[in-house]
Amino acid sequence: MSEFRHLQGEAQPHITLCGRDSVQIHETSRTLDLRFLRDRLSLAASEVRQNEFLLRCTVPPYEMTVFADGRVILKGTKDPAVARSLYARYIGS
């Protein structure tokens, strides 16, 4: 039997609105190395903070909270396309 990942919604991460002016991307197919990501984001973002559970940074006018399991909450937009674009640019696709 053929697999149609795009049609099943598995080709792209699941995206939901999350509170006021926030979008959450549920990327569960990979884990993230927060220390490596912190070093990479410190070149492009401001106020990069990281602990063992999450990384938070500001890319004006947006704020990103990145979790080690691949989830990201993007504050500052309600548009899933903007959130997906920021995720791809700063976290990777």
Side-chain angles (χ1 to χ4, degrees), residues 22-35:
S22 296
V23 176
Q24 182 169 209
I25 297 179
H26 308 268
E27 176 63 76
T28 58
S29 63
R30 67 178 177 180
T31 58
L32 299 172
D33 181 341
L34 295 179
R35 282 184 232 164

Side-chain angles (χ1 to χ4, degrees), residues 49-65:
R49 296 172 307 232
Q50 182 243 332
N51 64 30
E52 62 185 290
F53 304 108
L54 60 89
L55 178 144
R56 184 169 287 152
C57 68
T58 303
V59 179
Y62 308 104
E63 180 180 289
M64 291 190 291
T65 303

